[in-house]
Amino acid sequence: MDIRSQVAMVFHLDKCIGCHTCSIACKNVWTDRKGADYMWWNNVETKPGTGYPTQWENQEEYKGGWVVKDGKLQLRLTSKGKFLQKIFHQPSLPTMDEYYEPWTYRYEDLFNGPERDDQPTAIPVSKVTGQYIDIEAGPNWDDDLGGSPLYARNDVNLAAMSEEQRLQLLSIETLVMFYLPRICNHCANPACVAACPSGAIYKRGEDGIVLINQNVCRGWRYCVSACPYKKVFYNWSTGKSEKCLLCYPRVETGQAPACFHSCVGRIRYMGVLLYDADKIEAAGLKPDAELVTAHRDLLADPNDPAVIESARKNGVSEQVLKAARNSPVYRFVKDWGLALAPHPEYRTFPSLFYVPALGPVTYAMENGVALNPTSTEEIFAPLEQARLPMSYLASLFGAGQEAPVRYAMKKMLAIRTWKRATEVGDVDLKVALAGLREADCDPEQAEAIYRLTSLCSFEDRFVIPASHREQAVEVLTNPLERKGAAGFGFREAPQRGF
């Protein structure tokens, strides 16, 4: 047993309103520099849709994540013996067209242009070349167009649906979409770390945050190719790779990251998970049908004496252990089974989990009267009548397996019906109780889920222990030399090249 600490996250998709406040908060803090213009460490995608970069889920093209080959776990991108053969050319890298070419406007034309009969305009120019650019794409170009045939038909997850389901999904009568916020998952088995030839990417032992040492990075971009979620970016100005660092200067002081703190819908939760590193390889070798369970089995019970003892041997502080026992993430993922990792078939074991969105049903009224469930069959009927098929969500969150997604959706529907029975009174209480039992829930758990979802305070959502950085720093250097130092960057700016 090798128990380690991991700062983990849950995004509740039923509460996301797609306002992009999180993306702007991150952009203003971290990626407003030259060469980072096109980077969105936090972005919000509309699903069904192609995402950012375009079709990032298509691993047949990008070859990210891990695969099982000859009974061993290895990178999909390459093997150890082929690293040097591809080090100067990687055909699996996304191009700028898959992202977008960043641009600005020549605003001086508005003030310095010659007098004319028509209104002056500021023409768009590329931030890379400085030349005029014909804008054809941008960040989240398909925002709110998740049901349109132009973008939704290219969603990789639609391959799990039948032709009839795809046609129904794209028809205007059943138009449906939901928002998917994405940041770096800070995985337990990160492919980017394993792929880096320079050893510049590393996973911090004290909290599991994955970072890039800019002094060591040589711009090989193996990390960009290997990350199946495409959350590592290449800075074309400095020649270095960059990625979400989970606002670690804030996390170290017990504060929520900028995108979490600014979230309008309050969909974001952060807490500590304890996981057994000895189980990672065996879990990665499991077949797709068992990956969701294998991932949850990695997470250790913070109240187990054996787990606590192993964690202490690895230097996990009592403050972190206490936070793990009060973690909202552990409750959503392990206790309640509501939160699921994105694409577990990539075998990176993300530390970011999602509570799936309850899609709208095809009907909700009959002769102008709301339909109230009178049996458990009617409570769970919307799962089969939802405009977004279960197979789509299973492709996104269940490695193609509907069972874990269906379990989470049934429990959420049962809780919604239970609250209608107790607060509104339009549903028979016995029917609501029967629905809870069928969804593997009881009134006490239902109330706990309801409160953490709807009535949670800032302290309920973010249980983040302050880090003892002096204990980590003094392993390598004198902590007094680092006194007062925090943030991203160096006294000397990193130069392009070697």
Side-chain angles (χ1 to χ4, degrees):
M1 184 181 291
D2 183 9
I3 300 300
R4 303 184 186 183
S5 169
Q6 172 71 56
V7 175
M9 305 137 292
V10 165
F11 290 177
H12 201 308
L13 299 185
D14 233 11
K15 300 165 65 179
C16 183
I17 60 175
C19 64
H20 301 279
T21 305
C22 51
S23 300
I24 298 302
C26 178
K27 171 62 74 174
N28 287 339
V29 174
W30 297 112
T31 58
D32 59 348
R33 296 163 282 109
K34 183 179 181 181
D37 315 81
Y38 79 101
M39 299 181 192
W40 293 85
W41 293 357
N42 182 112
N43 73 296
V44 183
E45 299 173 2
T46 301
K47 286 292 186 180
T50 54
Y52 168 81
T54 302
Q55 286 197 316
W56 60 268
E57 295 160 293
N58 184 1
Q59 303 312 328
E60 295 300 320
E61 177 180 352
Y62 292 132
K63 296 178 172 53
W66 301 85
V67 293
V68 177
K69 188 174 182 180
D70 298 328
K72 296 181 180 180
L73 198 62
Q74 71 174 46
L75 292 172
R76 186 193 299 266
L77 176 66
T78 185
S79 62
K80 289 184 179 180
K82 296 181 180 178
F83 255 93
L84 291 178
Q85 297 177 17
K86 296 183 178 181
I87 200 165
F88 294 109
H89 173 64
Q90 293 184 47
S92 301
L93 273 172
T95 66
M96 185 168 283
D97 289 338
E98 268 73 59
Y99 296 98
Y100 68 97
E101 188 169 353
W103 75 88
T104 185
Y105 295 93
R106 210 163 65 190
Y107 293 105
E108 60 268 22
D109 291 351
L110 298 176
F111 304 99
N112 302 330
E115 183 177 353
R116 295 182 179 179
D117 294 334
D118 55 348
Q119 184 77 15
T121 59
I123 67 170
V125 292
S126 169
K127 282 192 171 184
V128 180
T129 65
Q131 303 299 314
Y132 169 80
I133 181 175
D134 185 13
I135 301 174
E136 297 179 347
N140 207 30
W141 192 252
D142 57 345
D143 190 18
D144 293 339
L145 294 174
S148 69
L150 182 61
Y151 294 102
R153 71 168 64 252
N154 296 317
D155 190 320
V156 174
N157 299 293
L158 297 185
M161 299 165 51
S162 66
E163 183 63 27
E164 182 181 1
Q165 287 176 320
R166 287 196 291 270
L167 290 174
Q168 291 175 351
L169 182 67
L170 298 176
S171 65
I172 192 65
E173 293 83 3
T174 57
L175 192 66
V176 65
M177 66 182 186
F178 66 93
Y179 299 108
L180 183 72
R182 296 202 305 120
I183 64 173
C184 172
N185 296 316
H186 298 277
C187 306
N189 186 33
C192 59
V193 173
C196 179
S198 306
I201 308 185
Y202 62 99
K203 187 173 177 65
R204 297 208 309 189
E206 61 265 37
D207 51 22
I209 296 176
V210 178
L211 300 174
I212 302 177
N213 187 331
Q214 297 285 287
N215 283 335
V216 179
C217 177
R218 293 293 178 263
W220 297 116
R221 286 171 280 180
Y222 266 98
C223 51
V224 179
S225 299
C227 175
Y229 306 96
K230 290 297 170 280
K231 277 301 174 180
V232 186
F233 302 87
Y234 178 70
N235 188 311
W236 51 265
S237 177
T238 65
K240 309 285 186 176
S241 292
E242 300 180 13
K243 62 177 290 297
C244 160
L245 39 78
L246 205 60
C247 290
Y248 71 83
R250 293 178 58 89
V251 173
E252 288 174 358
T253 58
Q255 301 179 76
C259 60
F260 285 68
H261 190 278
S262 64
C263 178
V264 174
R266 299 183 180 182
I267 77 163
R268 301 181 179 223
Y269 302 79
M270 176 176 279
V272 173
L273 292 178
L274 302 178
Y275 69 97
D276 189 351
D278 284 343
K279 294 182 177 180
I280 290 178
E281 184 177 5
L285 293 173
K286 297 287 186 181
D288 288 357
E290 301 176 23
L291 283 174
V292 174
T293 302
H295 190 180
R296 285 178 174 156
D297 287 343
L298 287 178
L299 308 182
D301 184 354
N303 297 300
D304 186 336
V307 169
I308 295 173
E309 181 182 359
S310 177
R312 286 171 176 163
K313 288 181 179 179
N314 280 342
V316 178
S317 69
E318 296 300 322
Q319 194 175 13
V320 173
L321 290 174
K322 180 181 178 181
R325 288 190 286 271
N326 297 319
S327 172
V329 179
Y330 186 85
R331 278 179 277 174
F332 271 116
V333 177
K334 190 86 171 184
D335 286 343
W336 300 335
L338 289 178
L340 300 161
H343 290 292
E345 69 273 17
Y346 298 161
R347 292 173 166 82
T348 60
F349 302 124
S351 299
L352 169 59
F353 302 85
Y354 294 91
V355 178
L358 281 173
V361 297
T362 53
Y363 72 89
M365 306 284 287
E366 187 175 277
N367 298 325
V369 180
L371 299 175
N372 298 326
T374 57
S375 65
T376 56
E377 288 79 9
E378 292 183 11
I379 290 177
F380 302 120
L383 286 179
E384 309 305 327
Q385 298 158 354
R387 299 180 190 178
L388 197 62
M390 191 65 63
S391 57
Y392 179 88
L393 293 174
S395 175
L396 189 57
F397 299 119
Q401 305 302 307
E402 294 186 10
V405 181
R406 191 178 297 276
Y407 177 89
M409 304 286 270
K410 284 186 70 172
K411 184 171 284 191
M412 288 192 290
L413 275 174
I415 294 170
R416 182 173 293 186
T417 306
W418 165 256
K419 294 308 295 182
R420 281 179 58 182
T422 57
E423 301 296 330
V424 183
D426 61 345
V427 178
D428 186 89
L429 196 59
K430 293 182 179 179
V431 174
L433 279 170
L436 286 180
R437 287 193 295 270
E438 189 171 332
D440 189 27
C441 191
D442 55 46
E444 291 75 20
Q445 186 181 103
E447 288 296 327
I449 295 173
Y450 164 70
R451 291 195 170 277
L452 192 56
T453 301
S454 304
L455 302 177
C456 51
S457 66
F458 194 90
E459 290 72 21
D460 293 331
R461 288 187 291 131
F462 306 125
V463 183
I464 311 169
S467 300
H468 294 282
R469 289 295 299 149
E470 70 280 1
Q471 296 178 1
V473 170
E474 67 187 6
V475 175
L476 302 175
T477 184
N478 184 351
L480 294 178
E481 295 179 2
R482 301 294 181 180
K483 187 177 181 180
F488 182 86
F490 305 90
R491 293 182 179 178
E492 295 182 5
Q495 300 298 315
R496 187 180 181 89
F498 297 101

Coordinates of all heavy atoms in Angstrom, one line a residue, residues 280-333:
I280 N -2.2 1.5 -9.4 CA -2.5 2.2 -10.6 C -2.2 1.3 -11.9 O -3.1 1.2 -12.8 CB -1.5 3.4 -10.7 CG1 -2.0 4.5 -9.7 CG2 -1.6 4.0 -12.1 CD1 -1.2 5.7 -9.7
E281 N -1.1 0.6 -11.9 CA -0.8 -0.2 -13.1 C -1.9 -1.3 -13.3 O -2.3 -1.6 -14.4 CB 0.6 -0.8 -12.9 CG 1.0 -1.6 -14.2 CD 2.4 -2.2 -14.1 OE1 3.0 -2.0 -13.0 OE2 2.9 -2.8 -15.1
A282 N -2.2 -2.0 -12.2 CA -3.2 -3.1 -12.3 C -4.6 -2.5 -12.7 O -5.3 -3.2 -13.5 CB -3.4 -3.8 -10.9
A283 N -4.9 -1.3 -12.3 CA -6.2 -0.7 -12.7 C -6.2 -0.4 -14.1 O -7.2 -0.5 -14.9 CB -6.5 0.5 -11.8
G284 N -5.0 0.1 -14.6 CA -4.9 0.5 -16.0 C -5.0 -0.7 -17.0 O -5.3 -0.5 -18.2
L285 N -4.7 -1.9 -16.5 CA -4.8 -3.1 -17.3 C -6.2 -3.7 -17.4 O -6.4 -4.6 -18.2 CB -3.8 -4.1 -16.8 CG -2.3 -3.8 -16.9 CD1 -1.5 -4.8 -16.2 CD2 -1.9 -3.7 -18.3
K286 N -7.1 -3.1 -16.6 CA -8.5 -3.6 -16.7 C -9.1 -3.4 -18.0 O -8.8 -2.4 -18.7 CB -9.3 -3.0 -15.6 CG -8.8 -3.3 -14.1 CD -9.1 -4.7 -13.7 CE -8.8 -4.9 -12.2 NZ -9.0 -6.2 -11.8
P287 N -10.1 -4.2 -18.4 CA -10.8 -3.9 -19.7 C -11.7 -2.7 -19.5 O -12.0 -2.3 -18.3 CB -11.6 -5.2 -19.9 CG -11.7 -5.9 -18.5 CD -10.4 -5.5 -17.8
D288 N -12.1 -2.1 -20.6 CA -12.9 -0.9 -20.5 C -14.2 -1.0 -19.6 O -14.5 -0.1 -18.9 CB -13.4 -0.5 -21.9 CG -12.3 0.0 -22.8 OD1 -11.1 0.1 -22.3 OD2 -12.5 0.3 -24.0
A289 N -14.8 -2.2 -19.6 CA -16.0 -2.4 -18.8 C -15.8 -2.3 -17.3 O -16.7 -2.0 -16.6 CB -16.6 -3.7 -19.1
E290 N -14.5 -2.4 -16.9 CA -14.2 -2.4 -15.5 C -13.4 -1.1 -15.0 O -13.1 -1.0 -13.9 CB -13.4 -3.6 -15.1 CG -14.1 -4.9 -15.4 CD -13.2 -6.1 -15.1 OE1 -12.3 -6.0 -14.3 OE2 -13.4 -7.2 -15.7
L291 N -13.2 -0.2 -15.9 CA -12.3 0.9 -15.6 C -12.9 1.9 -14.6 O -12.2 2.5 -13.8 CB -12.0 1.7 -16.9 CG -10.9 1.0 -17.8 CD1 -10.8 1.8 -19.1 CD2 -9.6 0.9 -17.1
V292 N -14.3 2.1 -14.7 CA -14.9 3.1 -13.7 C -14.7 2.5 -12.3 O -14.4 3.2 -11.4 CB -16.4 3.3 -14.1 CG1 -17.1 4.1 -13.0 CG2 -16.5 4.0 -15.4
T293 N -15.0 1.2 -12.1 CA -14.9 0.6 -10.8 C -13.4 0.6 -10.4 O -13.1 0.8 -9.2 CB -15.4 -0.8 -10.9 OG1 -16.8 -0.8 -11.3 CG2 -15.3 -1.5 -9.5
A294 N -12.5 0.3 -11.3 CA -11.1 0.2 -11.0 C -10.6 1.6 -10.5 O -9.8 1.7 -9.6 CB -10.3 -0.3 -12.2
H295 N -11.1 2.6 -11.2 CA -10.7 4.0 -10.8 C -11.1 4.3 -9.4 O -10.4 4.8 -8.6 CB -11.2 5.0 -11.8 CG -10.7 6.4 -11.6 ND1 -11.1 7.4 -12.4 CD2 -9.8 6.9 -10.8 CE1 -10.4 8.5 -12.1 NE2 -9.6 8.2 -11.0
R296 N -12.4 3.9 -9.1 CA -12.9 4.2 -7.7 C -12.2 3.4 -6.7 O -12.0 3.8 -5.5 CB -14.4 4.0 -7.7 CG -15.2 5.1 -8.4 CD -16.7 4.8 -8.4 NE -17.4 5.9 -8.9 CZ -18.6 5.9 -9.4 NH1 -19.2 4.7 -9.5 NH2 -19.2 7.0 -9.8
D297 N -11.7 2.2 -7.1 CA -11.0 1.3 -6.1 C -9.6 1.9 -5.8 O -9.0 1.5 -4.8 CB -10.9 -0.1 -6.7 CG -12.2 -0.9 -6.7 OD1 -13.1 -0.4 -6.0 OD2 -12.3 -1.9 -7.4
L298 N -9.1 2.8 -6.7 CA -7.8 3.4 -6.3 C -8.0 4.3 -5.1 O -7.0 4.6 -4.4 CB -7.3 4.2 -7.5 CG -6.8 3.5 -8.8 CD1 -6.4 4.6 -9.8 CD2 -5.6 2.7 -8.4
L299 N -9.2 4.9 -5.0 CA -9.4 5.9 -3.9 C -9.5 5.2 -2.6 O -10.3 4.3 -2.4 CB -10.6 6.7 -4.2 CG -10.7 7.3 -5.6 CD1 -12.0 8.1 -5.8 CD2 -9.5 8.2 -5.9
A300 N -8.7 5.6 -1.6 CA -8.7 4.9 -0.3 C -9.6 5.6 0.7 O -9.8 6.8 0.6 CB -7.2 4.9 0.2
D301 N -10.1 4.9 1.6 CA -11.0 5.4 2.7 C -10.1 6.2 3.7 O -9.3 5.6 4.3 CB -11.6 4.2 3.4 CG -12.7 4.6 4.4 OD1 -12.8 5.8 4.7 OD2 -13.3 3.7 5.0
P302 N -10.4 7.5 3.8 CA -9.6 8.3 4.7 C -9.8 8.0 6.2 O -9.1 8.5 7.1 CB -10.1 9.7 4.4 CG -11.4 9.6 3.8 CD -11.4 8.3 3.1
N303 N -10.8 7.1 6.5 CA -11.1 6.7 7.9 C -10.5 5.4 8.2 O -10.5 4.9 9.4 CB -12.6 6.7 8.2 CG -13.2 8.1 8.0 OD1 -12.8 9.0 8.7 ND2 -14.1 8.2 7.1
D304 N -9.9 4.7 7.3 CA -9.3 3.4 7.5 C -7.9 3.6 8.2 O -7.0 4.3 7.7 CB -9.1 2.7 6.1 CG -8.6 1.3 6.3 OD1 -8.0 0.9 7.3 OD2 -8.8 0.5 5.3
P305 N -7.7 2.9 9.3 CA -6.4 3.1 10.1 C -5.2 2.7 9.2 O -4.2 3.3 9.3 CB -6.6 2.1 11.3 CG -8.1 2.0 11.5 CD -8.7 2.1 10.1
A306 N -5.3 1.6 8.4 CA -4.2 1.2 7.6 C -3.9 2.2 6.6 O -2.7 2.5 6.3 CB -4.5 -0.1 6.9
V307 N -4.9 2.9 6.0 CA -4.7 4.0 5.0 C -4.0 5.1 5.7 O -3.1 5.7 5.1 CB -6.0 4.4 4.4 CG1 -5.9 5.6 3.6 CG2 -6.6 3.2 3.5
I308 N -4.5 5.5 6.9 CA -3.9 6.6 7.6 C -2.4 6.4 7.9 O -1.6 7.3 7.8 CB -4.7 6.9 8.9 CG1 -6.2 7.3 8.5 CG2 -4.1 7.9 9.8 CD1 -7.1 7.5 9.7
E309 N -2.1 5.2 8.4 CA -0.7 4.8 8.7 C 0.2 4.9 7.5 O 1.3 5.5 7.6 CB -0.7 3.4 9.3 CG 0.7 3.0 9.7 CD 0.8 1.6 10.2 OE1 -0.3 0.9 10.3 OE2 1.9 1.1 10.6
S310 N -0.3 4.4 6.3 CA 0.5 4.5 5.1 C 0.7 5.9 4.7 O 1.8 6.3 4.2 CB -0.1 3.6 4.0 OG 0.6 3.8 2.8
A311 N -0.4 6.7 4.8 CA -0.3 8.1 4.4 C 0.7 8.9 5.2 O 1.5 9.7 4.7 CB -1.7 8.8 4.5
R312 N 0.7 8.6 6.5 CA 1.7 9.3 7.4 C 3.1 8.9 7.1 O 4.0 9.7 7.2 CB 1.3 8.9 8.9 CG 0.1 9.6 9.4 CD -0.3 9.0 10.8 NE -1.4 9.8 11.4 CZ -2.2 9.3 12.4 NH1 -1.9 8.1 12.9 NH2 -3.2 10.0 12.8
K313 N 3.3 7.6 6.7 CA 4.7 7.2 6.3 C 5.2 8.0 5.1 O 6.4 8.2 4.9 CB 4.7 5.7 6.1 CG 4.6 4.9 7.3 CD 4.6 3.4 7.0 CE 4.6 2.5 8.3 NZ 4.6 1.1 7.9
N314 N 4.2 8.4 4.2 CA 4.6 9.1 3.0 C 4.6 10.6 3.3 O 4.8 11.4 2.3 CB 3.6 8.8 1.9 CG 3.9 7.5 1.2 OD1 5.0 7.0 1.3 ND2 2.9 6.9 0.5
G315 N 4.5 11.0 4.5 CA 4.6 12.4 4.8 C 3.3 13.2 4.7 O 3.4 14.5 4.7
V316 N 2.2 12.6 4.6 CA 0.9 13.3 4.5 C 0.6 13.8 5.9 O 0.6 13.1 6.9 CB -0.2 12.4 4.0 CG1 -1.5 13.1 4.0 CG2 0.1 11.8 2.6
S317 N 0.4 15.1 6.0 CA 0.2 15.8 7.3 C -1.2 15.5 7.8 O -2.1 15.1 7.1 CB 0.4 17.3 7.1 OG -0.7 17.9 6.3
E318 N -1.3 15.8 9.1 CA -2.6 15.6 9.8 C -3.7 16.5 9.2 O -4.9 16.2 9.2 CB -2.5 15.8 11.3 CG -1.6 14.8 12.0 CD -2.1 13.3 11.8 OE1 -3.3 13.1 11.9 OE2 -1.3 12.4 11.6
Q319 N -3.2 17.7 8.8 CA -4.2 18.7 8.3 C -4.7 18.2 6.9 O -5.9 18.3 6.7 CB -3.4 20.0 8.0 CG -4.3 21.2 7.7 CD -3.5 22.5 7.6 OE1 -2.3 22.4 7.5 NE2 -4.2 23.6 7.6
V320 N -3.9 17.5 6.1 CA -4.4 16.9 4.9 C -5.3 15.8 5.1 O -6.3 15.6 4.5 CB -3.2 16.5 4.0 CG1 -3.7 15.8 2.8 CG2 -2.4 17.7 3.6
L321 N -5.0 14.9 6.1 CA -5.8 13.8 6.5 C -7.2 14.2 6.9 O -8.2 13.6 6.6 CB -5.2 12.9 7.5 CG -3.9 12.1 7.1 CD1 -3.3 11.5 8.3 CD2 -4.3 11.1 6.0
K322 N -7.2 15.3 7.7 CA -8.5 15.8 8.2 C -9.3 16.4 7.0 O -10.6 16.1 6.9 CB -8.3 17.0 9.2 CG -9.5 17.6 9.7 CD -9.2 18.7 10.7 CE -10.5 19.4 11.2 NZ -10.2 20.5 12.2
A323 N -8.7 17.1 6.1 CA -9.4 17.6 4.9 C -9.9 16.4 4.1 O -11.0 16.5 3.5 CB -8.4 18.4 4.1
A324 N -9.2 15.3 4.0 CA -9.6 14.1 3.2 C -10.9 13.5 3.8 O -11.8 13.1 3.1 CB -8.5 13.1 3.1
R325 N -11.0 13.6 5.1 CA -12.2 13.0 5.8 C -13.4 13.9 5.5 O -14.5 13.4 5.6 CB -11.9 12.8 7.3 CG -11.0 11.7 7.6 CD -10.9 11.4 9.1 NE -10.2 12.4 9.8 CZ -8.9 12.4 10.0 NH1 -8.2 11.3 9.6 NH2 -8.3 13.3 10.7
N326 N -13.2 15.2 5.2 CA -14.3 16.1 5.0 C -14.4 16.5 3.5 O -15.1 17.5 3.2 CB -14.1 17.4 5.8 CG -14.1 17.1 7.3 OD1 -14.9 16.3 7.8 ND2 -13.2 17.8 8.1
S327 N -13.8 15.7 2.7 CA -13.7 16.1 1.3 C -15.1 15.9 0.6 O -15.7 14.9 0.6 CB -12.7 15.2 0.5 OG -12.7 15.4 -0.9
P328 N -15.6 17.0 -0.1 CA -16.8 16.9 -0.9 C -16.6 16.0 -2.1 O -17.6 15.4 -2.6 CB -17.2 18.3 -1.3 CG -15.9 19.0 -1.2 CD -15.1 18.4 -0.1
V329 N -15.4 16.0 -2.6 CA -15.1 15.1 -3.8 C -15.2 13.7 -3.5 O -15.8 12.9 -4.3 CB -13.7 15.5 -4.3 CG1 -13.4 14.6 -5.5 CG2 -13.5 16.9 -4.7
Y330 N -14.7 13.2 -2.3 CA -14.9 11.8 -1.9 C -16.3 11.4 -1.8 O -16.7 10.3 -2.2 CB -14.1 11.6 -0.6 CG -14.1 10.2 -0.2 CD1 -13.1 9.3 -0.6 CD2 -15.0 9.6 0.7 CE1 -13.0 8.0 -0.3 CE2 -15.0 8.3 1.0 CZ -14.0 7.5 0.6 OH -13.9 6.1 0.9
R331 N -17.1 12.3 -1.3 CA -18.6 12.0 -1.2 C -19.2 11.9 -2.5 O -20.0 10.9 -2.8 CB -19.3 13.1 -0.3 CG -19.1 12.9 1.2 CD -19.8 14.0 2.0 NE -18.9 15.2 2.1 CZ -19.3 16.3 2.6 NH1 -20.6 16.5 3.1 NH2 -18.5 17.3 2.7
F332 N -19.0 12.8 -3.4 CA -19.6 12.7 -4.7 C -19.1 11.5 -5.5 O -19.9 10.8 -6.2 CB -19.2 13.9 -5.6 CG -20.2 15.1 -5.4 CD1 -19.8 16.3 -4.8 CD2 -21.5 14.9 -5.8 CE1 -20.7 17.3 -4.7 CE2 -22.4 16.0 -5.7 CZ -22.0 17.2 -5.1
V333 N -17.8 11.1 -5.4 CA -17.2 10.1 -6.2 C -17.4 8.7 -5.6 O -17.9 7.8 -6.3 CB -15.7 10.4 -6.5 CG1 -15.1 9.2 -7.3 CG2 -15.6 11.7 -7.2

